[in-house]
Amino acid sequence: MDSDRPAAPTKPFLRALGGEAVWPPPAWLMRQAGRYLPEYREVRAGAGDFISLCTTPPLAAEVTLQPIRRYGMEAAILFSDILMIPWALGQPLRFAEGEGPLLEPLRTAEAITALDPSVVVARAAPIFETVARVREGLAAEAPRTTLIGFAGGCFTVACYMLEGKGSKEFPAARGLAYSDPALFGRLIRTLQDATVEYLVAQVEAGAESLMIFDSWAGMLSPGQFRRWVIEPTAAITRALRKRCPGVPLIGFPRLAGPLLADYAARAGVDATAMDTSMDPRWAAQAVPATMALQGNLDPLALVAGGAALEAETRSILAAMRGRPFVFNLGHGIVPQTPPEHVTQLMRILRSA
């Protein structure tokens, strides 16, 4: 009976992820809650270290809501980090100023096999409290805005866990994937299980959609990409479909290039995010017209503002007109971004 069917989503972001060509397109920005905002810097200064900010629910919820109050984006993304799963697994993690994340690297088979995904939900409880607080805040302040929960892609998270820090090449992870694929696969399966539990807990706390950030996917060969990016993502999406039916999922295989089409066809996601280097006109032809695309303004165009920002934005809009689409950056917003340029961007989008 019709009365038994779930109601169609009314929030623009969810409508786009559901396959509707919403226009003007809903918009949000990766790292929209961050150092370019003076209100964020004020909270950050009083929070202590970065992990304390991520795991103190009143503060993390506040910074998540700040850009929504200022700009009214159609989606808010949980303020956290993709490395909170390794942290919850018990891997020592800290963020050093000017260096980024530093972990105690996994160097032995014993260290990898000792990882227990069953502990993640309990240890990450403050993050789920943040989700609940943000959902409550959005209901009161911005009821048309969707809350996105997220996790890192298994390959990308494994890169940091094995290398112990950021890298241009991640030789420890890529080398292990070739030299001992069984052991590397063990780590990937552990991360699959942990990621499913982590994302399900975010949905139970109030997340309305989810995103997987595979930031280093593009450094893999095609065969390795399919094995270590597409296959784990597909396993996660299958589990989420069973446990969180109806919750849409965005996949971001950064720098995938032409493999984006393969990812869109096989990873099981509802939407595929484009990085800065992706030609949106090509993506519009390569990805099924029923699947939402997201992206892909260059963050440096947002820094520039003015005519350059308008030209780049309108070019993307022209390529995406008539299909399900969410406007975003092709990578995270950078700290030197003038806040007024985000205001300009939102004005361009809303007059599209």
Side-chain angles (χ1 to χ4, degrees), residues 51 154 160 173 197 233 258 267 269 272 309 332:
I51 294 176
C154 295
Y160 285 101
E197 298 304 322
T233 303
V269 296
T272 306
L309 173 59

Side-chain angles (χ1 to χ4, degrees), residues 309-319 327 347-349 351-352:
L309 173 59
E310 179 147 6
E312 291 293 309
T313 300
R314 295 200 181 280
S315 176
I316 294 168
L317 291 173
F327 193 94
R347 185 169 60 247
I348 295 167
L349 294 174
S351 65

Side-chain angles (χ1 to χ4, degrees), residues 152-174:
C154 295
F155 173 73
T156 291
V157 174
C159 281
Y160 285 101
M161 294 178 77
L162 291 165
E163 206 73 43
K165 59 183 179 180
S167 169
K168 292 182 178 180
E169 299 292 339
F170 287 101
R174 293 167 62 208

Side-chain angles (χ1 to χ4, degrees), residues 112-115 181-191:
I112 291 173
T113 56
L115 296 169
L183 181 59
F184 190 71
R186 173 68 181 266
L187 176 56
I188 293 294
R189 287 191 297 276
T190 297
L191 290 171

